[in-house]
Amino acid sequence: MVRDISVHQVTDHLADMCIQANHYLSKDMDCRLKQATEEEKSPLGRKILNQLQENLQIADQEMIPICQDTGMAVVFLEIGQDVHFVDGDLTEAVNEGIRRGYVDGYLRKSVVGDPIERVNTKDNTPAVIHTSIVKGDQVKITLAPKGFGSENMSRVFMLKPADGIEGVKDAILTAVKDAGPNACPPMVVGVGIGGTFEKCALMAKQALTRNLDEKPETPWVRELEEEMLYKINCLGIGPGGLGGSTTALAVNINTYPTHIAGLPVAVNICCHVNRHVTEII
Amino acid sequence: MDQYIHTPITEEVTADLRAGDYVYITGTLYVARDAAHKRMMEALDRGDELPIDIKDATIYYMGPSPAREGRPIGSAGPTTASRMDKYAPRLLDLGQKAMIGKGKRTKEVLDAVVRNHAVYFAAVGGAGALLSKCIKKSEIVCYEDLGAEAIRKIEVENFPVIVVADRYGNNLYETAVKEYAVI
């Protein structure tokens, strides 16, 4: 059975999601931040983590965006193969949702229409849209507004198979070390291992949207997440990069089969304002 | 050590600031980021005057979100300072005394801090809602067409920052990280 879904519904959902994502963090993020505040070893680090908690409260109560960089809108659409979109163009509907959310929601317009000419589009469009076709007749929309302080510190490493898991660990630590204070630590580190050049980058981005309490099924991936979180927090970068034991709140890793000749690794760094909202139509 | 200071941040003020000090600033700051800096450089290249009084000025690297009605400004946290590294030494040599941002700076900038008895402060990145509460007034000075990147003049009260690089060559990003690194 084909299910008709109006693209206007996509617009309405996204407009709300922009405002939601930029004013409230998800519960898992909130919990990790609270836990980090209790465990942080540096007094200045604790002071900064307390400020971040206060910042979240003010954002929530007074409807001021958590961060002024309300990001470029990354939209994941998982579209059931039995869905038929009606009432217009899906891409335009997504962008209309972003436009409405950012203009009506007093969010910053941070997108320039051309990477070299750099004229602001004034409504934060276009979004970066990733679609995938899945089973069923529903549409799962995930919005992840991405700030560029941390995006700029993200990396892709095309390792050799001989580099193995040690090479992967080095790559992750190198990216985090180089990011240091620029990426607004404590960060969330999204990692993609395998696939192709673009696939690993996309996996790293998707990893950032995974609930921090959800663990990967593959034992070595789960162990690697734990080991990397420990090692990153031994670097000493700390909250705000001003020294301390909380450099990352989580490391989320996604993997995919790859070519006999390669071992691609992407590290997508997100600041402590790791925003993502998911809704299903 | 906690310090409470007023603008203008002059040489007399920077003399007492050390990397690691927690400082509350009250007074007037200019707000400028990438595009505004580029335009200021172009103005200087043409031999024109800068649109702001640079002597003893404090520039906050920031681009706010829009203000809701009845508020002076929206979310207003620091942006990554390294993108201004190309421009900062020239402005420091012209008299700018303080920069507020976040993240590492180049040796050229740190040298200019020492040479000009200036200071580089970090504000807490990603605390835009909290920091906006310390901003009491905001007006656009020029380059309004740049939107969030226009140059603004803001009045702040007890605006919290941390001294990262002082005029004596200390850099908190290097020293503090070493202190907490577990090898």
Side-chain angles (χ1 to χ4, degrees):
Chain A
M1 261 297 268
V2 171
R3 177 179 168 220
D4 282 353
I5 292 181
S6 169
V7 293
H8 300 319
Q9 263 185 283
V10 175
T11 300
D12 292 345
H13 274 270
L14 273 167
D16 283 348
M17 289 161 81
C18 290
I19 296 171
Q20 213 183 313
N22 277 296
H23 291 85
Y24 321 99
L25 278 191
S26 55
K27 268 209 182 99
D28 53 322
M29 277 297 297
D30 221 20
C31 288
R32 287 290 170 109
L33 212 51
K34 282 203 178 84
Q35 191 190 337
T37 313
E38 283 165 22
E39 293 170 1
E40 173 57 48
K41 293 196 178 105
S42 144
L44 179 57
R46 278 199 299 278
K47 192 165 178 167
I48 291 169
L49 291 171
N50 276 315
Q51 282 190 335
L52 296 182
Q53 309 246 29
E54 201 186 328
N55 184 61
L56 288 174
Q57 270 178 10
I58 294 170
D60 179 326
Q61 290 162 6
E62 303 195 27
M63 287 303 282
I64 302 171
I66 302 168
C67 177
Q68 76 291 337
D69 184 355
T70 50
M72 185 164 194
V74 178
V75 179
F76 292 99
L77 294 174
E78 285 175 45
I79 302 166
Q81 63 188 19
D82 297 329
V83 169
H84 174 224
F85 286 109
V86 294
D87 295 336
D89 178 288
L90 178 63
T91 301
E92 184 40 45
V94 168
N95 284 326
E96 180 55 28
I98 301 304
R99 187 175 290 127
R100 221 192 277 166
Y102 275 74
V103 173
D104 297 350
Y106 294 87
L107 304 176
R108 198 179 77 182
K109 289 72 180 174
S110 311
V111 174
V112 291
D114 180 285
I116 296 301
E117 291 169 354
R118 307 197 75 83
V119 179
N120 198 300
T121 61
K122 296 198 161 65
D123 58 10
N124 220 51
T125 67
V128 174
I129 306 171
H130 303 288
T131 51
S132 54
I133 307 293
V134 297
K135 275 188 202 159
D137 62 359
Q138 295 182 325
V139 179
K140 185 175 169 188
I141 310 173
T142 298
L143 169 74
K146 189 65 171 73
F148 259 57
S150 53
E151 193 73 352
N152 280 337
M153 306 316 290
S154 301
R155 304 271 295 272
V156 173
F157 302 82
M158 298 305 284
L159 302 181
K160 295 176 184 67
D163 294 328
I165 195 151
E166 291 307 317
V168 172
K169 291 177 191 173
D170 280 351
I172 298 171
L173 283 179
T174 300
V176 171
K177 246 190 257 174
D178 289 351
N182 295 29
C184 289
M187 24 181 138
V188 176
V189 184
V191 181
I193 306 173
T196 48
F197 180 77
E198 86 288 3
K199 176 70 182 175
C200 73
L202 189 56
M203 284 194 293
K205 177 75 76 202
Q206 272 167 327
L208 290 173
T209 68
R210 195 215 299 160
N211 186 307
L212 303 184
D213 300 323
E214 258 172 50
K215 300 287 170 207
E217 279 172 23
T218 314
W220 75 262
V221 181
R222 203 162 52 229
E223 283 158 24
L224 185 62
E225 284 188 356
E226 283 164 16
E227 184 185 342
M228 292 322 293
L229 181 60
Y230 172 77
K231 286 200 166 141
I232 288 169
N233 285 332
C234 285
L235 292 174
I237 296 167
L242 297 166
S245 54
T246 316
T247 300
L249 297 170
V251 178
N252 280 3
I253 302 175
N254 285 350
T255 62
Y256 196 77
T258 190
H259 189 277
I260 49 172
L263 175 52
V265 178
V267 184
N268 196 187
I269 295 177
C270 191
C271 59
H272 54 83
V273 193
N274 181 27
R275 296 162 286 205
H276 51 88
V277 178
T278 298
E279 287 186 4
I280 293 172
I281 301 175
Chain B
M1 154 170 143
D2 282 9
Q3 297 213 46
Y4 292 82
I5 62 172
H6 282 78
T7 62
I9 297 174
T10 58
E11 283 204 31
E12 288 71 45
V13 177
T14 62
D16 291 332
L17 298 175
R18 296 288 188 286
D21 285 354
Y22 205 93
V23 179
Y24 296 90
I25 305 174
T26 297
T28 308
L29 315 176
Y30 285 109
V31 172
R33 49 173 288 157
D34 310 50
H37 274 80
K38 186 162 181 266
R39 280 208 193 163
M40 285 197 281
M41 294 303 120
E42 286 162 0
L44 289 173
D45 289 344
R46 284 194 305 269
D48 292 348
E49 294 228 334
L50 286 175
I52 59 172
D53 181 6
I54 199 73
K55 177 144 178 29
D56 293 334
T58 298
I59 297 183
Y60 180 22
Y61 302 142
M62 191 268 286
S65 67
R68 282 184 185 267
E69 260 168 61
R71 293 190 185 143
I73 206 158
S75 193
T79 196
T80 307
S82 62
R83 293 195 315 274
M84 268 52 77
D85 283 354
K86 198 174 155 188
Y87 316 118
R90 192 169 181 188
L91 293 177
L92 291 168
D93 288 342
L94 287 170
Q96 180 189 345
K97 273 288 170 295
M99 306 169 277
I100 305 173
K102 61 158 170 114
K104 295 178 226 177
R105 310 304 303 264
T106 55
K107 187 172 181 302
E108 287 71 24
V109 175
L110 298 173
D111 288 348
V113 165
V114 172
R115 176 168 76 237
N116 294 293
H117 296 170
V119 61
Y120 170 50
F121 298 109
V124 174
L130 175 82
L131 292 168
S132 79
K133 303 291 284 179
C134 305
I135 300 173
K136 304 300 168 187
K137 266 193 217 164
S138 165
E139 59 173 300
I140 291 179
V141 175
C142 60
Y143 308 155
E144 195 163 1
D145 61 300
L146 295 178
E149 294 202 71
I151 295 187
R152 290 164 188 270
K153 195 176 181 177
I154 59 172
E155 300 293 327
V156 296
E157 260 178 47
N158 291 326
F159 188 86
V161 294
I162 298 133
V163 179
V164 168
D166 63 30
R167 59 189 263 188
Y168 306 103
N170 302 304
N171 182 352
L172 186 64
Y173 284 142
E174 285 177 6
T175 52
V177 170
K178 275 187 200 139
E179 197 180 327
Y180 288 95
V182 185
I183 306 156

mmCIF file of all heavy atoms in Angstrom, chain A residues 67-86:
data_model
loop_
_atom_site.group_PDB
_atom_site.id
_atom_site.type_symbol
_atom_site.label_atom_id
_atom_site.label_comp_id
_atom_site.label_asym_id
_atom_site.label_seq_id
_atom_site.Cartn_x
_atom_site.Cartn_y
_atom_site.Cartn_z
ATOM 1 N N CYS A 67 23.741 28.299 21.632
ATOM 2 C CA CYS A 67 24.958 28.882 21.057
ATOM 3 C C CYS A 67 24.532 29.812 19.936
ATOM 4 O O CYS A 67 23.548 29.541 19.243
ATOM 5 C CB CYS A 67 25.861 27.778 20.511
ATOM 6 S SG CYS A 67 27.349 28.409 19.692
ATOM 7 N N GLN A 68 25.287 30.912 19.761
ATOM 8 C CA GLN A 68 24.933 31.848 18.684
ATOM 9 C C GLN A 68 25.137 31.221 17.305
ATOM 10 O O GLN A 68 24.470 31.614 16.351
ATOM 11 C CB GLN A 68 25.726 33.147 18.814
ATOM 12 C CG GLN A 68 27.187 33.090 18.394
ATOM 13 C CD GLN A 68 28.023 32.249 19.339
ATOM 14 O OE1 GLN A 68 27.667 32.059 20.494
ATOM 15 N NE2 GLN A 68 29.141 31.736 18.837
ATOM 16 N N ASP A 69 26.057 30.256 17.214
ATOM 17 C CA ASP A 69 26.211 29.552 15.938
ATOM 18 C C ASP A 69 25.136 28.470 15.888
ATOM 19 O O ASP A 69 25.320 27.361 16.375
ATOM 20 C CB ASP A 69 27.605 28.940 15.791
ATOM 21 C CG ASP A 69 27.788 28.292 14.418
ATOM 22 O OD1 ASP A 69 26.795 28.243 13.651
ATOM 23 O OD2 ASP A 69 28.901 27.836 14.107
ATOM 24 N N THR A 70 24.013 28.833 15.314
ATOM 25 C CA THR A 70 22.887 27.901 15.259
ATOM 26 C C THR A 70 23.025 26.951 14.073
ATOM 27 O O THR A 70 22.111 26.202 13.745
ATOM 28 C CB THR A 70 21.550 28.666 15.238
ATOM 29 O OG1 THR A 70 21.612 29.672 14.220
ATOM 30 C CG2 THR A 70 21.295 29.352 16.572
ATOM 31 N N GLY A 71 24.192 27.005 13.457
ATOM 32 C CA GLY A 71 24.608 25.945 12.549
ATOM 33 C C GLY A 71 24.100 25.998 11.123
ATOM 34 O O GLY A 71 23.246 26.785 10.755
ATOM 35 N N MET A 72 24.697 25.099 10.333
ATOM 36 C CA MET A 72 24.153 24.810 9.013
ATOM 37 C C MET A 72 23.258 23.592 9.224
ATOM 38 O O MET A 72 23.623 22.667 9.964
ATOM 39 C CB MET A 72 25.276 24.494 8.024
ATOM 40 C CG MET A 72 24.791 24.305 6.599
ATOM 41 S SD MET A 72 26.157 24.413 5.413
ATOM 42 C CE MET A 72 25.243 24.574 3.870
ATOM 43 N N ALA A 73 22.082 23.595 8.618
ATOM 44 C CA ALA A 73 21.115 22.532 8.893
ATOM 45 C C ALA A 73 21.444 21.273 8.096
ATOM 46 O O ALA A 73 21.446 21.282 6.870
ATOM 47 C CB ALA A 73 19.715 23.013 8.551
ATOM 48 N N VAL A 74 21.758 20.207 8.824
ATOM 49 C CA VAL A 74 21.964 18.907 8.185
ATOM 50 C C VAL A 74 20.692 18.093 8.416
ATOM 51 O O VAL A 74 20.239 17.963 9.558
ATOM 52 C CB VAL A 74 23.189 18.176 8.767
ATOM 53 C CG1 VAL A 74 23.362 16.800 8.125
ATOM 54 C CG2 VAL A 74 24.449 19.018 8.580
ATOM 55 N N VAL A 75 20.125 17.596 7.338
ATOM 56 C CA VAL A 75 18.849 16.880 7.449
ATOM 57 C C VAL A 75 19.004 15.462 6.891
ATOM 58 O O VAL A 75 19.425 15.278 5.745
ATOM 59 C CB VAL A 75 17.738 17.616 6.654
ATOM 60 C CG1 VAL A 75 16.420 16.862 6.742
ATOM 61 C CG2 VAL A 75 17.558 19.038 7.162
ATOM 62 N N PHE A 76 18.699 14.481 7.739
ATOM 63 C CA PHE A 76 18.673 13.093 7.285
ATOM 64 C C PHE A 76 17.217 12.691 7.088
ATOM 65 O O PHE A 76 16.408 12.839 8.004
ATOM 66 C CB PHE A 76 19.299 12.160 8.329
ATOM 67 C CG PHE A 76 20.781 12.346 8.497
ATOM 68 C CD1 PHE A 76 21.289 13.104 9.543
ATOM 69 C CD2 PHE A 76 21.668 11.755 7.606
ATOM 70 C CE1 PHE A 76 22.655 13.269 9.702
ATOM 71 C CE2 PHE A 76 23.036 11.921 7.761
ATOM 72 C CZ PHE A 76 23.536 12.677 8.809
ATOM 73 N N LEU A 77 16.903 12.194 5.895
ATOM 74 C CA LEU A 77 15.538 11.719 5.627
ATOM 75 C C LEU A 77 15.604 10.225 5.330
ATOM 76 O O LEU A 77 16.227 9.813 4.344
ATOM 77 C CB LEU A 77 14.948 12.432 4.407
ATOM 78 C CG LEU A 77 14.683 13.924 4.511
ATOM 79 C CD1 LEU A 77 14.252 14.470 3.153
ATOM 80 C CD2 LEU A 77 13.620 14.230 5.563
ATOM 81 N N GLU A 78 14.990 9.429 6.203
ATOM 82 C CA GLU A 78 14.877 7.993 5.919
ATOM 83 C C GLU A 78 13.456 7.788 5.433
ATOM 84 O O GLU A 78 12.494 7.896 6.195
ATOM 85 C CB GLU A 78 15.143 7.171 7.176
ATOM 86 C CG GLU A 78 16.609 7.106 7.538
ATOM 87 C CD GLU A 78 16.840 6.392 8.860
ATOM 88 O OE1 GLU A 78 16.239 5.332 9.097
ATOM 89 O OE2 GLU A 78 17.609 6.937 9.671
ATOM 90 N N ILE A 79 13.356 7.515 4.146
ATOM 91 C CA ILE A 79 12.039 7.493 3.508
ATOM 92 C C ILE A 79 11.605 6.052 3.243
ATOM 93 O O ILE A 79 12.310 5.294 2.569
ATOM 94 C CB ILE A 79 12.093 8.287 2.177
ATOM 95 C CG1 ILE A 79 12.557 9.727 2.458
ATOM 96 C CG2 ILE A 79 10.737 8.283 1.473
ATOM 97 C CD1 ILE A 79 12.972 10.495 1.223
ATOM 98 N N GLY A 80 10.468 5.694 3.786
ATOM 99 C CA GLY A 80 9.922 4.359 3.545
ATOM 100 C C GLY A 80 9.615 4.193 2.057
ATOM 101 O O GLY A 80 9.134 5.128 1.407
ATOM 102 N N GLN A 81 9.884 3.002 1.520
ATOM 103 C CA GLN A 81 9.715 2.822 0.065
ATOM 104 C C GLN A 81 8.251 2.844 -0.369
ATOM 105 O O GLN A 81 7.953 2.969 -1.557
ATOM 106 C CB GLN A 81 10.409 1.539 -0.392
ATOM 107 C CG GLN A 81 9.836 0.268 0.201
ATOM 108 C CD GLN A 81 10.700 -0.942 -0.158
ATOM 109 O OE1 GLN A 81 11.860 -0.799 -0.521
ATOM 110 N NE2 GLN A 81 10.125 -2.129 -0.056
ATOM 111 N N ASP A 82 7.329 2.770 0.599
ATOM 112 C CA ASP A 82 5.910 2.850 0.249
ATOM 113 C C ASP A 82 5.345 4.261 0.395
ATOM 114 O O ASP A 82 4.137 4.467 0.345
ATOM 115 C CB ASP A 82 5.107 1.886 1.142
ATOM 116 C CG ASP A 82 5.518 0.446 0.895
ATOM 117 O OD1 ASP A 82 5.911 0.142 -0.255
ATOM 118 O OD2 ASP A 82 5.493 -0.355 1.849
ATOM 119 N N VAL A 83 6.222 5.231 0.586
ATOM 120 C CA VAL A 83 5.758 6.620 0.726
ATOM 121 C C VAL A 83 5.694 7.297 -0.633
ATOM 122 O O VAL A 83 6.586 7.126 -1.469
ATOM 123 C CB VAL A 83 6.705 7.412 1.662
ATOM 124 C CG1 VAL A 83 6.407 8.901 1.599
ATOM 125 C CG2 VAL A 83 6.607 6.895 3.097
ATOM 126 N N HIS A 84 4.621 8.045 -0.830
ATOM 127 C CA HIS A 84 4.507 8.870 -2.036
ATOM 128 C C HIS A 84 4.299 10.311 -1.587
ATOM 129 O O HIS A 84 3.305 10.633 -0.929
ATOM 130 C CB HIS A 84 3.306 8.381 -2.868
ATOM 131 C CG HIS A 84 3.021 9.246 -4.046
ATOM 132 N ND1 HIS A 84 1.757 9.642 -4.413
ATOM 133 C CD2 HIS A 84 3.860 9.817 -4.957
ATOM 134 C CE1 HIS A 84 1.818 10.416 -5.485
ATOM 135 N NE2 HIS A 84 3.081 10.518 -5.836
ATOM 136 N N PHE A 85 5.257 11.160 -1.892
ATOM 137 C CA PHE A 85 5.139 12.572 -1.477
ATOM 138 C C PHE A 85 4.210 13.317 -2.423
ATOM 139 O O PHE A 85 4.314 13.175 -3.650
ATOM 140 C CB PHE A 85 6.513 13.244 -1.472
ATOM 141 C CG PHE A 85 7.380 12.814 -0.309
ATOM 142 C CD1 PHE A 85 8.488 12.004 -0.515
ATOM 143 C CD2 PHE A 85 7.069 13.212 0.988
ATOM 144 C CE1 PHE A 85 9.280 11.603 0.548
ATOM 145 C CE2 PHE A 85 7.855 12.814 2.055
ATOM 146 C CZ PHE A 85 8.959 12.008 1.841
ATOM 147 N N VAL A 86 3.308 14.111 -1.859
ATOM 148 C CA VAL A 86 2.383 14.917 -2.675
ATOM 149 C C VAL A 86 2.471 16.383 -2.266
ATOM 150 O O VAL A 86 3.084 16.715 -1.256
ATOM 151 C CB VAL A 86 0.920 14.414 -2.527
ATOM 152 C CG1 VAL A 86 0.765 13.022 -3.119
ATOM 153 C CG2 VAL A 86 0.461 14.428 -1.072
#
